[in-house]
Amino acid sequence: MAAASTLSLALTPTSSDPSLPSSRHRSRLFLSPLSHNPHFLSSQRSRFRLSPKSSCTSASSQSPPSVSDEPTSSSASAAYSSLEDWLKTGNYNFLSNEELLKLQSLQDFRYRRELGIGSLCIRVMRPDETDVTVKLLSESFVESMKLPDWYLPLVSYLVKQYLFERRAAIPHAVTLLGFVKWKDGGGGGGGEEEAGELAGTVEICFNKRGANDSPPTPTPPKDSPYICNMTVNKPLRRRGIGWNLLKASEELISQMSCVREVYLHCRMVDSAPFNMYTRAGYNVVKTDSILVLLLLQSRKHLMLKKLPVPTNDLELEMSGSDPEHVQVGA
């Protein structure tokens, strides 16, 4: 299963990664998918501002940036110390104490489930996992578009630019990775608790500051959480991994945002993802006009789910705790 829509890339290379050549011009690629595929949207270079506002305060009401404030609390200092490598590899400017703590929460996030094939662990993508994520997304897209193999380097280059630019949106947007540790001991490596084979990925935008500049139509509200770019490794599809990527996204949104309305897109031709989304409680709120077919794009549904409001810490911790063994197109 993969959340599917038109691929729309509008990326300016801004990363210091030496493997990415610089460019003075913005490159844009418009393609229309034919089957399951992730979608990559125009990214914005979010610049973090220091602000004492709470996480439930809208971005538009936050105070102007300051250049003198620094983390002062012991918890923020600890977060900064443990995230030093993240800050070195990302395009970060200024982070408030609150944003540093959110960054620490993202790094600590784990969603674990036992599946028929083994243990699934879903967590935030680390900077050194960019290449394997690019490979998964690029191969999924080339397959879905039925493109010849020689398109893969171009697609990989564009996806890598996208991921490097989206890194600057953390902690207002994040990419999750799912790893499967096989029951027979296969697929592991490195001795880490969550080590295993990369099974899938999904992207979450928590608020306006993490939203893409050019989301697909029908356009979701930018100040609401949005789930996109979900794909599952082909050999591991139809094993419930897509379902758990969705549940993990909802659980993380419940922790990171006070907005309960979550949006995602699903193409009208994708019956398996659509059935999964409706089973999970998403409802269609708007559908593309038939005129989008003139742009060689597939018509899409914009779907909405209102997450329950956690009444206490225990309920928040236990949200989505029942294992799901749903056979879906993922």
PDB file of all heavy atoms in Angstrom, residues 12-33:
ATOM      1  N   THR A  12      15.150  23.025  -4.960  1.00  0.00           N
ATOM      2  CA  THR A  12      16.408  23.727  -5.169  1.00  0.00           C
ATOM      3  C   THR A  12      17.452  23.099  -4.282  1.00  0.00           C
ATOM      4  O   THR A  12      17.280  23.069  -3.069  1.00  0.00           O
ATOM      5  CB  THR A  12      16.274  25.216  -4.800  1.00  0.00           C
ATOM      6  OG1 THR A  12      15.243  25.791  -5.595  1.00  0.00           O
ATOM      7  CG2 THR A  12      17.592  25.936  -5.057  1.00  0.00           C
ATOM      8  N   PRO A  13      18.537  22.538  -4.835  1.00  0.00           N
ATOM      9  CA  PRO A  13      19.544  21.920  -3.980  1.00  0.00           C
ATOM     10  C   PRO A  13      20.104  22.932  -2.998  1.00  0.00           C
ATOM     11  O   PRO A  13      20.662  23.946  -3.380  1.00  0.00           O
ATOM     12  CB  PRO A  13      20.616  21.455  -4.980  1.00  0.00           C
ATOM     13  CG  PRO A  13      19.903  21.352  -6.290  1.00  0.00           C
ATOM     14  CD  PRO A  13      18.858  22.430  -6.252  1.00  0.00           C
ATOM     15  N   THR A  14      19.950  22.622  -1.710  1.00  0.00           N
ATOM     16  CA  THR A  14      20.431  23.541  -0.683  1.00  0.00           C
ATOM     17  C   THR A  14      21.308  22.845   0.329  1.00  0.00           C
ATOM     18  O   THR A  14      21.853  23.478   1.207  1.00  0.00           O
ATOM     19  CB  THR A  14      19.243  24.176   0.057  1.00  0.00           C
ATOM     20  OG1 THR A  14      18.423  23.136   0.585  1.00  0.00           O
ATOM     21  CG2 THR A  14      18.412  25.033  -0.880  1.00  0.00           C
ATOM     22  N   SER A  15      21.404  21.531   0.216  1.00  0.00           N
ATOM     23  CA  SER A  15      22.155  20.789   1.208  1.00  0.00           C
ATOM     24  C   SER A  15      23.645  20.941   0.995  1.00  0.00           C
ATOM     25  O   SER A  15      24.127  21.142  -0.108  1.00  0.00           O
ATOM     26  CB  SER A  15      21.762  19.313   1.122  1.00  0.00           C
ATOM     27  OG  SER A  15      22.610  18.544   1.917  1.00  0.00           O
ATOM     28  N   SER A  16      24.379  20.801   2.099  1.00  0.00           N
ATOM     29  CA  SER A  16      25.829  20.813   2.027  1.00  0.00           C
ATOM     30  C   SER A  16      26.388  19.439   1.688  1.00  0.00           C
ATOM     31  O   SER A  16      27.590  19.256   1.633  1.00  0.00           O
ATOM     32  CB  SER A  16      26.417  21.271   3.367  1.00  0.00           C
ATOM     33  OG  SER A  16      25.976  20.429   4.417  1.00  0.00           O
ATOM     34  N   ASP A  17      25.507  18.459   1.478  1.00  0.00           N
ATOM     35  CA  ASP A  17      25.957  17.122   1.136  1.00  0.00           C
ATOM     36  C   ASP A  17      26.775  17.177  -0.147  1.00  0.00           C
ATOM     37  O   ASP A  17      26.284  17.601  -1.187  1.00  0.00           O
ATOM     38  CB  ASP A  17      24.736  16.211   0.935  1.00  0.00           C
ATOM     39  CG  ASP A  17      25.129  14.760   0.725  1.00  0.00           C
ATOM     40  OD1 ASP A  17      26.297  14.507   0.369  1.00  0.00           O
ATOM     41  OD2 ASP A  17      24.262  13.900   0.908  1.00  0.00           O
ATOM     42  N   PRO A  18      28.045  16.735  -0.133  1.00  0.00           N
ATOM     43  CA  PRO A  18      28.882  16.843  -1.319  1.00  0.00           C
ATOM     44  C   PRO A  18      28.411  15.973  -2.463  1.00  0.00           C
ATOM     45  O   PRO A  18      28.803  16.189  -3.609  1.00  0.00           O
ATOM     46  CB  PRO A  18      30.259  16.369  -0.804  1.00  0.00           C
ATOM     47  CG  PRO A  18      29.962  15.545   0.400  1.00  0.00           C
ATOM     48  CD  PRO A  18      28.744  16.144   1.016  1.00  0.00           C
ATOM     49  N   SER A  19      27.560  14.974  -2.186  1.00  0.00           N
ATOM     50  CA  SER A  19      27.081  14.115  -3.264  1.00  0.00           C
ATOM     51  C   SER A  19      25.999  14.762  -4.083  1.00  0.00           C
ATOM     52  O   SER A  19      25.598  14.253  -5.115  1.00  0.00           O
ATOM     53  CB  SER A  19      26.548  12.799  -2.683  1.00  0.00           C
ATOM     54  OG  SER A  19      25.405  13.032  -1.894  1.00  0.00           O
ATOM     55  N   LEU A  20      25.483  15.917  -3.626  1.00  0.00           N
ATOM     56  CA  LEU A  20      24.436  16.614  -4.349  1.00  0.00           C
ATOM     57  C   LEU A  20      25.020  17.832  -5.036  1.00  0.00           C
ATOM     58  O   LEU A  20      25.436  18.774  -4.384  1.00  0.00           O
ATOM     59  CB  LEU A  20      23.314  17.056  -3.388  1.00  0.00           C
ATOM     60  CG  LEU A  20      22.505  15.934  -2.770  1.00  0.00           C
ATOM     61  CD1 LEU A  20      21.480  16.516  -1.812  1.00  0.00           C
ATOM     62  CD2 LEU A  20      21.838  15.085  -3.825  1.00  0.00           C
ATOM     63  N   PRO A  21      25.046  17.857  -6.367  1.00  0.00           N
ATOM     64  CA  PRO A  21      25.578  19.028  -7.054  1.00  0.00           C
ATOM     65  C   PRO A  21      24.705  20.229  -6.837  1.00  0.00           C
ATOM     66  O   PRO A  21      23.498  20.129  -6.718  1.00  0.00           O
ATOM     67  CB  PRO A  21      25.561  18.594  -8.534  1.00  0.00           C
ATOM     68  CG  PRO A  21      24.536  17.513  -8.607  1.00  0.00           C
ATOM     69  CD  PRO A  21      24.584  16.808  -7.283  1.00  0.00           C
ATOM     70  N   SER A  22      25.348  21.394  -6.754  1.00  0.00           N
ATOM     71  CA  SER A  22      24.588  22.614  -6.553  1.00  0.00           C
ATOM     72  C   SER A  22      23.970  23.060  -7.863  1.00  0.00           C
ATOM     73  O   SER A  22      24.395  22.690  -8.943  1.00  0.00           O
ATOM     74  CB  SER A  22      25.504  23.721  -6.022  1.00  0.00           C
ATOM     75  OG  SER A  22      26.538  23.977  -6.945  1.00  0.00           O
ATOM     76  N   SER A  23      22.928  23.889  -7.738  1.00  0.00           N
ATOM     77  CA  SER A  23      22.249  24.387  -8.929  1.00  0.00           C
ATOM     78  C   SER A  23      21.692  25.765  -8.639  1.00  0.00           C
ATOM     79  O   SER A  23      21.211  26.036  -7.558  1.00  0.00           O
ATOM     80  CB  SER A  23      21.105  23.437  -9.332  1.00  0.00           C
ATOM     81  OG  SER A  23      20.340  24.011 -10.361  1.00  0.00           O
ATOM     82  N   ARG A  24      21.759  26.622  -9.637  1.00  0.00           N
ATOM     83  CA  ARG A  24      21.212  27.966  -9.457  1.00  0.00           C
ATOM     84  C   ARG A  24      19.765  28.028  -9.892  1.00  0.00           C
ATOM     85  O   ARG A  24      19.105  29.041  -9.737  1.00  0.00           O
ATOM     86  CB  ARG A  24      22.036  28.958 -10.280  1.00  0.00           C
ATOM     87  CG  ARG A  24      23.477  29.059  -9.833  1.00  0.00           C
ATOM     88  CD  ARG A  24      24.258  29.964 -10.749  1.00  0.00           C
ATOM     89  NE  ARG A  24      23.649  31.293 -10.814  1.00  0.00           N
ATOM     90  CZ  ARG A  24      24.040  32.228 -11.694  1.00  0.00           C
ATOM     91  NH1 ARG A  24      24.998  31.963 -12.550  1.00  0.00           N
ATOM     92  NH2 ARG A  24      23.447  33.406 -11.694  1.00  0.00           N
ATOM     93  N   HIS A  25      19.263  26.963 -10.480  1.00  0.00           N
ATOM     94  CA  HIS A  25      17.914  26.974 -11.015  1.00  0.00           C
ATOM     95  C   HIS A  25      17.078  25.901 -10.347  1.00  0.00           C
ATOM     96  O   HIS A  25      17.567  24.823 -10.030  1.00  0.00           O
ATOM     97  CB  HIS A  25      17.937  26.749 -12.525  1.00  0.00           C
ATOM     98  CG  HIS A  25      18.785  27.751 -13.256  1.00  0.00           C
ATOM     99  ND1 HIS A  25      18.393  29.047 -13.452  1.00  0.00           N
ATOM    100  CD2 HIS A  25      20.027  27.634 -13.790  1.00  0.00           C
ATOM    101  CE1 HIS A  25      19.340  29.699 -14.113  1.00  0.00           C
ATOM    102  NE2 HIS A  25      20.342  28.854 -14.324  1.00  0.00           N
ATOM    103  N   ARG A  26      15.841  26.186 -10.178  1.00  0.00           N
ATOM    104  CA  ARG A  26      14.900  25.249  -9.564  1.00  0.00           C
ATOM    105  C   ARG A  26      14.440  24.249 -10.619  1.00  0.00           C
ATOM    106  O   ARG A  26      13.956  24.612 -11.676  1.00  0.00           O
ATOM    107  CB  ARG A  26      13.694  26.014  -9.002  1.00  0.00           C
ATOM    108  CG  ARG A  26      12.669  25.099  -8.324  1.00  0.00           C
ATOM    109  CD  ARG A  26      11.558  25.938  -7.744  1.00  0.00           C
ATOM    110  NE  ARG A  26      12.045  26.795  -6.687  1.00  0.00           N
ATOM    111  CZ  ARG A  26      12.091  26.433  -5.428  1.00  0.00           C
ATOM    112  NH1 ARG A  26      11.712  25.238  -5.049  1.00  0.00           N
ATOM    113  NH2 ARG A  26      12.538  27.274  -4.518  1.00  0.00           N
ATOM    114  N   SER A  27      14.575  22.969 -10.304  1.00  0.00           N
ATOM    115  CA  SER A  27      14.143  21.938 -11.237  1.00  0.00           C
ATOM    116  C   SER A  27      12.756  21.467 -10.855  1.00  0.00           C
ATOM    117  O   SER A  27      12.439  21.316  -9.689  1.00  0.00           O
ATOM    118  CB  SER A  27      15.117  20.754 -11.193  1.00  0.00           C
ATOM    119  OG  SER A  27      15.167  20.210  -9.895  1.00  0.00           O
ATOM    120  N   ARG A  28      11.921  21.199 -11.838  1.00  0.00           N
ATOM    121  CA  ARG A  28      10.549  20.773 -11.575  1.00  0.00           C
ATOM    122  C   ARG A  28      10.211  19.588 -12.461  1.00  0.00           C
ATOM    123  O   ARG A  28      10.530  19.560 -13.645  1.00  0.00           O
ATOM    124  CB  ARG A  28       9.564  21.922 -11.829  1.00  0.00           C
ATOM    125  CG  ARG A  28       8.120  21.551 -11.506  1.00  0.00           C
ATOM    126  CD  ARG A  28       7.219  22.756 -11.665  1.00  0.00           C
ATOM    127  NE  ARG A  28       7.460  23.748 -10.651  1.00  0.00           N
ATOM    128  CZ  ARG A  28       6.858  23.738  -9.477  1.00  0.00           C
ATOM    129  NH1 ARG A  28       6.007  22.798  -9.165  1.00  0.00           N
ATOM    130  NH2 ARG A  28       7.119  24.674  -8.605  1.00  0.00           N
ATOM    131  N   LEU A  29       9.575  18.606 -11.868  1.00  0.00           N
ATOM    132  CA  LEU A  29       9.198  17.411 -12.590  1.00  0.00           C
ATOM    133  C   LEU A  29       7.751  17.096 -12.276  1.00  0.00           C
ATOM    134  O   LEU A  29       7.365  17.029 -11.119  1.00  0.00           O
ATOM    135  CB  LEU A  29      10.092  16.230 -12.166  1.00  0.00           C
ATOM    136  CG  LEU A  29       9.722  14.861 -12.724  1.00  0.00           C
ATOM    137  CD1 LEU A  29       9.903  14.849 -14.229  1.00  0.00           C
ATOM    138  CD2 LEU A  29      10.586  13.789 -12.082  1.00  0.00           C
ATOM    139  N   PHE A  30       6.939  16.903 -13.301  1.00  0.00           N
ATOM    140  CA  PHE A  30       5.547  16.537 -13.123  1.00  0.00           C
ATOM    141  C   PHE A  30       5.304  15.205 -13.822  1.00  0.00           C
ATOM    142  O   PHE A  30       5.524  15.072 -15.018  1.00  0.00           O
ATOM    143  CB  PHE A  30       4.608  17.592 -13.718  1.00  0.00           C
ATOM    144  CG  PHE A  30       4.655  18.899 -12.991  1.00  0.00           C
ATOM    145  CD1 PHE A  30       5.385  19.961 -13.489  1.00  0.00           C
ATOM    146  CD2 PHE A  30       3.994  19.059 -11.795  1.00  0.00           C
ATOM    147  CE1 PHE A  30       5.435  21.161 -12.824  1.00  0.00           C
ATOM    148  CE2 PHE A  30       4.043  20.268 -11.115  1.00  0.00           C
ATOM    149  CZ  PHE A  30       4.763  21.320 -11.636  1.00  0.00           C
ATOM    150  N   LEU A  31       4.858  14.219 -13.054  1.00  0.00           N
ATOM    151  CA  LEU A  31       4.569  12.910 -13.600  1.00  0.00           C
ATOM    152  C   LEU A  31       3.257  12.426 -13.017  1.00  0.00           C
ATOM    153  O   LEU A  31       2.866  12.815 -11.928  1.00  0.00           O
ATOM    154  CB  LEU A  31       5.681  11.910 -13.255  1.00  0.00           C
ATOM    155  CG  LEU A  31       7.055  12.195 -13.877  1.00  0.00           C
ATOM    156  CD1 LEU A  31       8.079  11.240 -13.291  1.00  0.00           C
ATOM    157  CD2 LEU A  31       7.009  12.028 -15.381  1.00  0.00           C
ATOM    158  N   SER A  32       2.605  11.535 -13.730  1.00  0.00           N
ATOM    159  CA  SER A  32       1.335  11.000 -13.261  1.00  0.00           C
ATOM    160  C   SER A  32       1.477   9.509 -13.025  1.00  0.00           C
ATOM    161  O   SER A  32       1.842   8.770 -13.931  1.00  0.00           O
ATOM    162  CB  SER A  32       0.233  11.247 -14.299  1.00  0.00           C
ATOM    163  OG  SER A  32      -0.985  10.705 -13.862  1.00  0.00           O
ATOM    164  N   PRO A  33       1.232   9.033 -11.788  1.00  0.00           N
ATOM    165  CA  PRO A  33       1.444   7.624 -11.468  1.00  0.00           C
ATOM    166  C   PRO A  33       0.373   6.734 -12.066  1.00  0.00           C
ATOM    167  O   PRO A  33      -0.741   7.164 -12.327  1.00  0.00           O
ATOM    168  CB  PRO A  33       1.387   7.614  -9.944  1.00  0.00           C
ATOM    169  CG  PRO A  33       0.546   8.773  -9.590  1.00  0.00           C
ATOM    170  CD  PRO A  33       0.797   9.807 -10.647  1.00  0.00           C
TER     171      PRO A  33
END
